[in-house]
Structures are given as C-alpha cells and as structure tokens.
Amino acid sequence: MRGKKRNVVYSTDSAAAKRCPRCGSYPCRCPKPKSVPPEQQTAAIRREKKGRGGKTVTVIYDLQLTPDDRKALGKLLKNKCGTGGAVKEDTIEIQGDQRDKIAEELQKLGYKTKFTGG
Ligand SMILES: [Zn+2]
C-alpha cells in the first residue's frame, strides 16, 4: 500500500446512476450516431400548409442524419431555393412549394427521393 490517502470519488450508487440507460455502461459505450450515406437513403418530401395564413412549406423527412449534417443540408437547400426554412429535430422545412427543386438538389447529392402526401 502506498500512502494512506484513499480517494473515494465514486460511490457505487452514483456510478449506477450515471450508467447509460441504453447500453448499461458507464462511460457510455453506445456507438456514436452517424449519418447514413446519401446513396443509401430515400428522402421523403411532402408539402404542408402551416399556420393561420396557410403558408406552404416543403418538408423533407425520413433522413438519417446527425443534427450537424441535417443543419448543413437545410442550409444548402435554403440557399439553392433562395428562401427561408427551418431545421427541426427530424425534418427540414423549406418555405414555399419547392418539391421539384429540392428533389433535384437531393438527387444531385446522391439521395433517392419520393413525394408523399399532397
Ligand atoms: Zn450508452
């Protein structure tokens, strides 16, 4: 034994509380979420009316992207369409009915696309 100092930082209780609920380990050993390559994804595109004025937005969903990649894609699509939009938790919304333009841009990136809804 070297030294008398015992550094009790972790109690078993707090270690258990910190365990990841998904993999049961601390530190977490879950694989980091990764974006699926465009070639392996089909982007679903639908048109939606929003709010009181019934403004049309084009919604892109069903993409498996990390939040950063989703933000980057949303930014690119907004630029390409020359309009505003918003990146939500699971979707990208672009103002206006931009379905054809968005499908074209997504296909250029390698995504397959499909139109859903109205
Ligand atoms: Zn985990």
Side-chain angles (χ1 to χ4, degrees):
M1 276 274 207
R2 329 189 266 129
K4 306 178 206 153
K5 210 165 70 171
R6 276 189 68 201
N7 230 347
V8 184
V9 178
Y10 302 106
S11 79
T12 46
D13 276 358
S14 71
K18 277 189 224 168
R19 264 191 211 155
C20 171
R22 276 202 290 172
C23 61
S25 297
Y26 177 79
C28 169
R29 273 185 249 154
C30 295
K32 281 235 158 68
K34 273 201 297 190
S35 296
V36 175
E39 298 76 29
Q40 292 169 29
Q41 300 208 60
T42 300
I45 302 168
R46 69 168 183 251
R47 194 175 49 173
E48 251 180 39
K49 291 228 172 169
K50 288 223 138 180
R52 281 188 303 162
K55 268 197 205 155
T56 301
V57 296
T58 306
V59 182
I60 304 113
Y61 63 104
D62 259 8
L63 289 176
Q64 291 176 272
L65 296 175
T66 62
D68 283 349
D69 286 352
R70 195 189 323 282
K71 257 183 236 166
L73 182 61
K75 199 173 169 190
L76 178 112
L77 292 173
K78 280 189 276 184
N79 283 342
K80 296 285 183 188
C81 296
T83 182
V87 176
K88 304 279 174 69
E89 206 167 307
D90 291 310
T91 61
I92 299 168
E93 293 183 7
I94 304 294
Q95 284 169 17
D97 182 359
Q98 310 277 356
R99 286 177 296 176
D100 291 337
K101 181 75 182 159
I102 286 167
E104 190 190 319
E105 292 302 333
L106 287 171
Q107 283 162 21
K108 276 187 207 164
L109 295 170
Y111 293 98
K112 290 186 277 293
T113 58
K114 66 177 180 198
F115 294 124
T116 63

